[in-house]
Amino acid sequence: MPNERLRTAMAAGGWTCATLAEKAEVDPKSVERWVNLGRTPRRATALRAAEVLGEDVHALWPALRQARPARAVSPELVVLYGQRADVPVSAYVELFASARERIDILVYAAVFLHEAYPRLNDLLRERAADGCAVRIAVGDADSPNVQQRGREERFGHGIESRCRLALLHYRPLVGVPGIEVRTHGTTLYNSLYRADDQLLVNTHVFGVNAYGAPVWHLRRTGGSGMFDTYAGSFDAVWAAGRPVEG
């Protein structure tokens, strides 16, 4: 079955099978098979091609989405992604869209969400209007812990700028019924994205930017498990946070 999404992306950018093949470092016949037969390239090749086309790799080749699931060693573990860059933005969107009672977001910045999905604020407003409690905690750019993280990741003042940008993204939600926004200055060991009993945990690794660190997708199966451990850490940070005023 032809890959029409790939065909459209190539046409929009003026790419031929030959020119894309050169950038993706494969034979043109391989690209022809991707387009005409719907073949899925190896992950590394697909990532190169998607970057060249300016497309989400999982949108072009959905089969890669679950290409590297972990063998579950806990009933709470749904899948383990080797790095955040492997998680399709659609996973966050579907997660939040599925929430009926609670959405919790704990990050320093995570501006990739708004950049990749500009309707994020609209989605959060819609969930809040349906009775979902939304709590968003972003990093305080003036916090020594945020600044230290920038030094550790060799990101310098960039992380402080991204914290300020994240706050600008979320500020229109301040005052919306059902939505609370706070800043925090904690040492952030994990970024958390929760929707009811599902949770994406982006672990943080010393010296590694968040996009290069693993992500756990957890589903709560009972009390006192990993899910509740991370959920409890969110509550602790939230309690120490400072409300953002309108």
Side-chain angles (χ1 to χ4, degrees), residues 26-235:
V26 296
D27 187 272
K29 291 189 179 297
S30 294
V31 180
E32 292 176 8
R33 288 191 286 269
W34 301 348
V35 176
N36 298 322
L37 301 179
R39 298 284 177 82
T40 300
R42 288 181 296 181
R43 186 174 193 83
T45 303
L47 287 169
R48 283 197 299 271
E51 183 177 4
V52 168
L53 295 171
E55 293 282 334
D56 176 52
V57 68
H58 300 100
L60 295 176
W61 293 287
L64 291 174
R65 182 173 297 175
Q66 301 296 338
R68 297 192 297 178
R71 183 178 64 182
V73 295
S74 164
E76 292 184 283
L77 180 61
V78 178
V79 64
L80 170 61
Y81 297 92
Q83 54 185 9
R84 194 190 71 194
D86 293 335
V87 186
V89 172
S90 58
Y92 298 92
V93 176
E94 291 166 6
L95 183 79
F96 296 145
S98 71
R100 294 297 177 267
E101 297 180 358
R102 176 187 302 279
I103 291 175
D104 288 337
I105 299 174
L106 171 61
V107 296
Y108 269 166
V111 294
F112 74 93
L113 285 176
H114 281 94
E115 292 171 347
Y117 188 68
R119 282 199 73 256
L120 180 61
N121 282 5
D122 293 332
L123 174 58
L124 296 176
R125 286 191 189 94
E126 291 164 5
R127 300 315 315 130
D130 284 341
C132 195
V134 179
R135 299 186 295 178
I136 302 163
V138 300
D140 178 353
D142 297 320
S143 164
N145 289 319
V146 168
Q147 295 167 4
Q148 179 65 28
R149 174 64 57 80
R151 291 190 289 271
E152 292 169 355
E153 294 182 357
R154 298 182 295 279
F155 204 42
H157 296 295
I159 191 167
E160 299 163 41
S161 299
R162 292 176 79 81
C163 286
R164 292 190 173 93
L165 179 57
L167 188 57
L168 284 174
H169 281 311
Y170 287 116
R171 187 171 288 280
L173 298 177
V174 174
V176 174
I179 299 180
E180 295 182 76
V181 182
R182 296 185 182 184
T183 58
H184 70 94
T186 63
T187 299
L188 192 62
Y189 301 107
N190 306 277
S191 293
L192 304 177
Y193 309 87
R194 177 184 180 179
D196 295 339
D197 287 339
Q198 293 197 74
L199 179 66
L200 292 174
V201 181
N202 184 189
T203 64
H204 293 309
V205 180
F206 185 90
V208 177
N209 194 283
Y211 67 77
V215 172
W216 306 78
H217 182 174
L218 302 178
R219 179 178 289 111
R220 190 174 189 270
T221 59
S224 302
M226 289 193 297
F227 183 99
D228 284 350
T229 297
Y230 287 114
S233 72
F234 179 96
D235 290 337

Side-chain angles (χ1 to χ4, degrees), residues 5-23:
R5 177 64 183 264
L6 176 59
R7 191 193 306 277
T8 300
M10 289 174 61
W15 294 92
T16 66
C17 290
T19 56
L20 180 58
E22 181 180 358
K23 290 293 186 179

